[in-house]
Amino acid sequence: MKLSVVGTGYVGLVTGACLADVGNDVLCVDLDATKVDMLRDGLVPIYEPGLQDMVRRNIAAGRLRFTTHPAEGAAFGVPQFIAVGTPPDEDGSADMSHVLSAALAIGRHMDGYRLVINKSTVPVGTARRVTETIDRGLAARGAVHRFSVVSNPEFLKEGAAIDDFKRPDRIVIGSDDDAATALMRQLYAPFGRNHERLMVMDVRSAELTKYAANAMLATRISFMNEIALLAEEMGADIDAVRRGIGSDERIGHHFLYAGCGYGGSCFPKDVKALVKSAQSLGRDLPLLRAVEAVNETQKSVLAQRVVARFGGDLSAHRFAVWGLAFKPNTDDMREAPSVVLIDELLARGAEVHVYDPVAADAAQRAFGPRPRLHYVKRAMEALVDANALLIVTEWTEFRSPDFDRMRELMREPVVFDGRNLYEPAVMRSHGLEYRGIGR
């Protein structure tokens, strides 16, 4: 099947590459000429395991192409995925300008029936706005063409996006058009051969499902972070508590890990957008406002503990930070807890040496030039003469380091573990002063 994907960001590029990989002819549209040139050369501007190889393989096979021309995309395929960004506006609501611009371009250039598929994370009611925008684009040139608009929210985890797309736990389709639903079933048939994954519902329910899913996961994280701080005050171990409640099948173990807060491109902005959507209807969502507040507080926990241990003036101190990306297996720095931590350390005069396996370049763009912020190539290199190590991202390579070597390299053998990677007793046995979250 020939299809177009508007947007080559995280969602659009993964969607286009995975659909090409099962035999479709895919044209991806992006207005960023520099990015499109990179992609044509098989260079992927984001880090996602397996994505670059998949892009190169499908470019070589002739199934995946890239263009900067919206007219070319609108004329290419019947299915038209809109997979552009919806960043938070100044008030926290979703910025819909990119989505509506993509819809207007489709309306201005389509030459026959189109199935317009909202893949971007969008507020309830977006399908109606997209429909009105396409109608406006058609009317501006006096054209009359049939089209359908459906919702198809993405549920991709950064670091596991290809597996999530190819082996999904659910494929949500919001559609009020039987013909459009049939075409969506055909499009997703290769990904549900062993088990029916497709869930069809009305459009507005599909739009809300994405926000509700992310809000629930964010709630679980903030809940556990609150309980972790309480566990410390009570002398309990949050890891034992996690295992105790996670064994209840009504609760389960996923997203019950205490830490230094969540970040990324989804949870922070989606919680804010859902709260703003409710407020626009005169509704308050106090639970989700609390989830957001708890998370913002949690991002400051490591810095607060450094100050409690070393004092407010850190100008004579050097700190090592392991992990910059908001989670492992990505270079995404959006809303990363490391940003809050490092900003606070630098503001107090500290020298900070940081290491991340893949996110160093993205971090340098995020932080800009900072005279007391240094990037190193190896984890152990960051520890040299450090007063403390702070672990922010749970990369696999951090799980079993040489603890004795760590102690030898550091000026003071202090470890603040923001992801609870290690057992306190083991750390103490190696002569390390260990501070976890709720341990």
Side-chain angles (χ1 to χ4, degrees):
M1 188 184 304
K2 293 175 65 174
L3 59 96
S4 301
V5 178
V6 183
T8 61
Y10 193 88
V11 174
L13 189 56
V14 170
T15 298
C18 287
L19 289 170
D21 210 46
V22 295
N24 294 293
D25 191 2
V26 179
L27 179 64
C28 293
V29 183
D30 200 294
L31 299 181
D32 187 334
T34 301
K35 183 191 290 188
V36 167
D37 286 341
M38 284 182 61
L39 290 166
R40 284 170 174 165
D41 291 334
L43 301 174
V44 174
I46 57 175
Y47 179 82
E48 176 64 33
L51 182 58
Q52 183 158 279
D53 288 343
M54 180 179 287
V55 167
R56 289 177 173 175
R57 181 169 67 249
N58 284 283
I59 289 174
R63 293 189 298 263
L64 182 61
R65 287 176 285 159
F66 301 91
T67 183
T68 57
H69 301 294
E72 186 180 354
F76 185 74
V78 169
Q80 298 272 319
F81 282 89
I82 296 179
V84 295
T86 53
D89 221 331
E90 290 184 3
D91 64 354
S93 61
D95 180 352
M96 295 297 296
S97 59
H98 302 299
V99 170
L100 298 180
S101 292
L104 186 60
I106 293 170
R108 284 175 173 170
H109 301 292
M110 59 191 281
D111 56 6
Y113 173 76
R114 293 293 181 267
L115 172 59
V116 180
I117 306 159
N118 281 334
K119 196 74 173 169
S120 302
T121 300
V122 293
V124 175
T126 295
R128 175 185 53 79
R129 295 182 66 187
V130 167
T131 298
E132 294 169 351
T133 303
I134 295 173
D135 277 334
R136 194 164 66 249
L138 288 168
R141 60 190 177 104
V144 178
H145 295 294
R146 286 194 317 110
F147 66 92
S148 303
V149 177
V150 302
S151 175
N152 175 216
E154 56 86 14
F155 298 97
L156 306 178
K157 298 187 296 293
E158 293 190 41
I162 290 174
D163 192 59
D164 285 345
F165 196 100
K166 290 198 160 189
R167 285 172 284 276
D169 50 15
R170 79 282 208 197
I171 301 168
V172 172
I173 305 296
S175 173
D176 303 312
D177 181 328
D178 290 342
T181 302
L183 187 54
M184 292 298 290
R185 288 187 182 279
Q186 180 184 347
L187 190 62
Y188 277 109
F191 307 105
R193 295 180 64 86
N194 296 325
H195 185 71
E196 177 56 56
R197 306 292 187 185
L198 204 132
M199 302 173 63
V200 180
M201 59 187 71
D202 64 277
V203 173
R204 297 176 78 86
S205 294
E207 291 171 334
L208 183 55
T209 294
K210 167 64 175 181
Y211 279 114
N214 280 351
M216 172 58 79
L217 297 176
T219 299
R220 288 168 67 94
I221 294 171
S222 284
F223 171 79
M224 285 304 289
N225 282 333
E226 277 208 328
I227 297 299
L229 299 184
L230 181 63
E232 288 185 2
E233 296 293 329
M234 293 179 164
D237 185 339
I238 194 61
D239 194 55
V241 174
R242 175 188 63 80
R243 287 183 277 112
I245 66 175
S247 60
D248 185 330
E249 64 181 18
R250 296 169 300 175
I251 298 173
H253 291 281
H254 295 298
F255 288 84
L256 288 186
Y257 291 87
C260 51
Y262 61 76
S265 62
C266 294
F267 290 2
K269 79 175 181 67
D270 291 353
V271 170
K272 288 183 175 72
L274 189 53
V275 169
K276 290 300 296 185
S277 292
Q279 289 174 346
S280 71
L281 298 171
R283 290 277 183 178
D284 185 28
L285 299 180
L287 177 60
L288 291 188
R289 285 193 291 103
V291 166
E292 185 181 6
V294 167
N295 190 58
E296 289 307 306
T297 299
Q298 199 70 17
K299 288 183 179 181
S300 300
V301 164
L302 286 182
Q304 292 168 359
R305 295 183 178 190
V306 169
V307 170
R309 173 64 171 76
F310 295 102
D313 181 0
L314 301 176
S315 56
H317 294 76
R318 174 186 292 185
F319 296 98
V321 174
W322 281 2
L324 296 168
F326 87 93
K327 63 179 287 188
N329 295 321
T330 180
D331 62 351
D332 197 338
M333 290 293 297
R334 286 173 287 185
E335 302 282 348
S338 66
V339 174
V340 176
L341 169 64
I342 292 169
D343 278 345
E344 182 65 22
L345 295 178
L346 294 174
R348 293 180 177 276
E351 183 177 344
V352 184
H353 291 238
V354 301
Y355 169 75
D356 189 287
V358 303
D361 290 344
Q364 290 183 63
R365 291 192 296 272
F367 284 111
R370 305 283 187 96
R372 296 179 68 82
L373 178 59
H374 308 279
Y375 299 86
V376 300
K377 299 292 186 182
R378 295 178 178 83
M380 288 295 178
E381 185 181 346
L383 300 180
V384 176
D385 207 27
N387 293 94
L389 164 65
L390 299 103
I391 300 172
V392 186
T393 313
E394 62 274 33
W395 285 95
T396 300
E397 69 176 83
F398 300 157
R399 293 187 179 277
S400 186
D402 184 336
F403 295 125
D404 292 330
R405 179 63 175 155
M406 289 169 61
R407 188 187 67 249
E408 292 169 1
L409 290 172
M410 298 174 70
R411 185 188 311 174
E412 297 184 65
V414 182
V415 177
F416 295 91
D417 185 354
R419 296 301 176 188
N420 287 344
L421 293 183
Y422 310 129
E423 286 299 319
V426 172
M427 299 296 280
R428 288 193 296 270
S429 72
H430 287 275
L432 292 162
E433 181 183 328
Y434 180 73
R435 314 278 181 101
I437 304 290
R439 304 301 304 276

